[in-house]
Amino acid sequence: ADAGGAGQGVIDNGETADCLQYNCHCTAPYPNNIIGIYQTGIDGMPPDITTVTTAEDCHDACLVTFNSASPDGTGITSTFTCEQLATEDGGTQNIKVVDEALFPRLNVEIPGLGYEIIPGGLFGTPKWSAAEITTDANGIQHSNLLGTYVNAVYTYLLGAASLIAVTMLMIAGLQYATARGDSKQVDNAKKRINNAVVGIILLLLGYNIAFIFNPSTTRFNSLSIERVQDLTLRNDTAGLEGSGTIGVTGTWENLSSPYLDLVKKSKTQAGTCKIPEGIASPTGKLPNQGNHHWGKGISTGDFTKVRNLDWAADWGSDILAPFSGTVTYEEQKDTKNPCGNRIYLKASTGELITICHAKDFLNGEGEYAPGQVVQGQVIGHLGGRCCTGGGDVPNDWVTRCNASGTSCTDPETGGDCQCQPIAQSGSTTGPHVHISMTSGTSNILSCLK
């Protein structure tokens, strides 16, 4: 439900107190129709907003975020939707979520789509009442937009063609009635009547004819679209994760050649790193020196091909924030992505890194505390040890599920564990921190501190 300005109330969906996963949408109509989306495990809150579990929290976060754009809160709106609710028996219940922001804006409105523009922002938000876009627990979006659109166009054209055919039938009848014995006019009228009747029959039976020849031509399945970030991380974490020369301490100048040469090249040619503090070591050691991640850049001398680095250390050791910013977390619950448990760190400049293979999401005090952190602060602990019998390993993973001991369960609470389920550990040959430069213009090598 939409909320108004700062002085107006927020409409609660009635069950937000038990909301475990949510979408919090913010809109400010000026100066340039700013839109923000906060989602559990994806994006961080403003500095003084640490949790969002109700519609009121969502609205407060929006007001803080867009305070500079609208100091009095006028025009700022918020939308709060639960994805997952707690049930009375202690379980969870998934709620179907429709992402209205992904509905295309049509230049020509097609009857049958239930197309409308929902007020809000500078231009409003398009919505198709006859279609839906949902996101499942694995982050894959399922959309029936194409099928809905084709069916609506087919129905629209069927009606238009039927109207044309009936019109032609009426014209032919008028032509026949006014022929006055002219055999040529009569023949033309009969042909036009026959053509119109055949056309109407084909229009009415077209669906059945297509179904008989090939049923798939009448069926439009939902499109399933994976998040681009997931696909990128899948490629970035493939291969011998964690392998290479490890254990060396010091700054980037202590790297050996040819790795040192590539970093020097990036620092002279890549321009200024957008992260003011640079990227410090998350383990206190130098990044792994080996073919993995470095390979393409070393072989070509192209530092831009190096977008990911690994830092190895002992299981369970601290993961230190490489720079100051906002930290959020996401537990991996299936074997779809070899990144495993994820930590996201976003700088004030907008640069975002993803840290893979975390054992837990606890700080130095053993607390789960997403939000603002400073460089060097503990934001989690090293994972990457897959428990013996961790299940079938996907073909493109190199994970060795041979570690014994108690399996980790909830990374938000930590606990005494010695290894991880395969989904949480991800694709790795040993404990290490993987960092991907997820978004932004900075090169990871040029940012090394």
Side-chain angles (χ1 to χ4, degrees):
D2 285 336
Q8 300 183 32
V10 180
I11 302 176
D12 195 310
N13 68 3
E15 301 187 65
T16 52
D18 296 319
C19 187
L20 302 179
Q21 294 183 5
Y22 59 84
N23 282 290
C24 175
H25 298 255
C26 307
T27 304
Y30 55 82
N32 55 356
N33 196 33
I34 304 171
I35 297 177
I37 300 176
Y38 298 121
Q39 186 178 38
T40 15
I42 303 298
D43 295 315
M45 292 292 106
D48 53 347
I49 302 293
T50 55
T51 59
V52 169
T53 56
T54 68
E56 287 79 4
D57 292 339
C58 171
H59 193 54
D60 290 343
C62 294
L63 290 177
V64 171
T65 303
F66 299 123
N67 184 54
S68 59
S70 179
D72 60 355
T74 304
I76 292 178
T77 62
S78 64
T79 305
F80 185 88
T81 312
C82 273
E83 288 184 0
Q84 192 177 82
L85 296 173
T87 58
E88 294 182 358
D89 59 2
T92 61
Q93 175 186 0
N94 290 327
I95 306 298
K96 183 172 67 174
V97 177
V98 176
D99 191 345
E100 296 174 354
L102 294 179
F103 287 91
R105 185 180 298 274
L106 301 178
N107 290 324
V108 178
E109 298 182 16
I110 304 297
L113 286 178
Y115 184 80
E116 59 179 323
I117 297 292
I118 300 174
L122 194 61
F123 302 107
T125 301
K127 177 71 171 66
W128 302 6
S129 60
E132 62 182 25
I133 300 174
T134 60
T135 304
D136 63 22
N138 299 322
I140 298 177
Q141 290 183 331
H142 304 277
S143 163
N144 67 343
L145 290 180
L146 179 60
T148 302
Y149 182 79
V150 172
N151 283 330
V153 170
Y154 173 78
T155 303
Y156 176 71
L157 294 179
L158 178 63
S162 299
L163 179 61
I164 294 173
V166 171
T167 301
M168 294 302 295
L169 191 63
M170 295 172 63
I171 293 175
L174 181 62
Q175 183 181 12
Y176 187 88
T178 59
R180 296 182 179 181
D182 187 337
S183 59
K184 186 176 180 179
Q185 290 292 333
V186 171
D187 290 340
N188 289 337
K190 287 181 178 180
K191 288 180 181 179
R192 185 166 289 174
I193 292 173
N194 288 336
N195 291 338
V197 171
V198 170
I200 292 175
I201 293 174
L202 288 176
L203 286 172
L204 297 177
L205 297 180
Y207 179 89
N208 294 326
I209 294 173
F211 184 83
I212 292 173
F213 281 99
N214 187 354
S216 63
T217 60
T218 63
R219 200 176 296 124
F220 299 97
N221 296 325
S222 296
L223 299 175
S224 296
I225 306 171
E226 296 189 42
R227 287 187 300 179
V228 173
Q229 184 184 38
D230 275 2
L231 294 174
T232 302
L233 283 175
R234 182 180 302 176
N235 294 329
D236 291 345
T237 51
L240 296 174
E241 277 279 297
S243 62
T245 304
I246 62 175
V248 181
T249 58
T251 61
W252 64 269
E253 289 94 339
N254 297 109
L255 288 167
S256 59
S257 293
Y259 313 103
L260 176 62
D261 302 329
L262 204 61
V263 177
K264 287 181 177 179
K265 188 175 181 180
S266 72
K267 287 185 175 291
T268 58
Q269 297 183 17
T272 304
C273 175
K274 298 300 189 298
I275 303 173
E277 303 165 292
I279 297 178
S281 171
T283 64
K285 302 179 184 297
L286 289 178
N288 294 0
Q289 300 173 61
N291 188 57
H292 194 59
H293 294 322
W294 293 86
K296 291 181 179 180
I298 294 296
S299 62
T300 61
D302 185 358
F303 61 85
T304 63
K305 294 186 180 298
V306 183
R307 300 186 301 271
N308 320 275
L309 290 174
D310 292 336
W311 282 262
D314 295 329
W315 160 264
S317 57
D318 294 342
I319 298 177
L320 309 176
F323 52 84
S324 301
T326 304
V327 66
T328 53
Y329 303 98
E330 182 176 6
E331 178 184 358
Q332 184 71 9
K333 297 182 179 180
D334 57 51
T335 57
K336 198 163 193 64
N337 195 295
C339 178
N341 289 339
R342 310 177 197 185
I343 301 175
Y344 301 97
L345 181 61
K346 190 172 186 178
S348 59
T349 56
E351 307 297 288
L352 175 69
I353 64 170
T354 301
I355 299 174
C356 300
H357 317 303
K359 168 183 171 288
D360 60 53
F361 305 145
L362 306 181
N363 61 20
E365 287 71 44
E367 301 172 337
Y368 173 73
Q372 293 297 112
V373 296
V374 297
Q375 188 178 62
Q377 182 176 334
V378 178
I379 56 175
H381 297 86
L382 260 75
R385 293 184 66 203
C386 183
C387 296
T388 303
D392 295 331
V393 180
N395 293 332
D396 56 342
W397 290 28
V398 294
T399 298
R400 299 169 185 168
C401 294
N402 57 3
S404 60
T406 304
S407 175
C408 298
T409 53
D410 184 1
E412 294 185 11
T413 58
D416 185 16
C417 57
Q418 290 79 42
C419 58
Q420 293 175 289
I422 183 173
Q424 292 190 27
S425 66
S427 179
T428 168
T429 55
H432 73 283
V433 174
H434 168 104
I435 290 183
S436 289
M437 185 67 77
T438 308
S439 65
T441 58
S442 298
N443 177 268
I444 191 171
L445 296 183
S446 67
C447 287
L448 286 180
K449 188 173 181 179

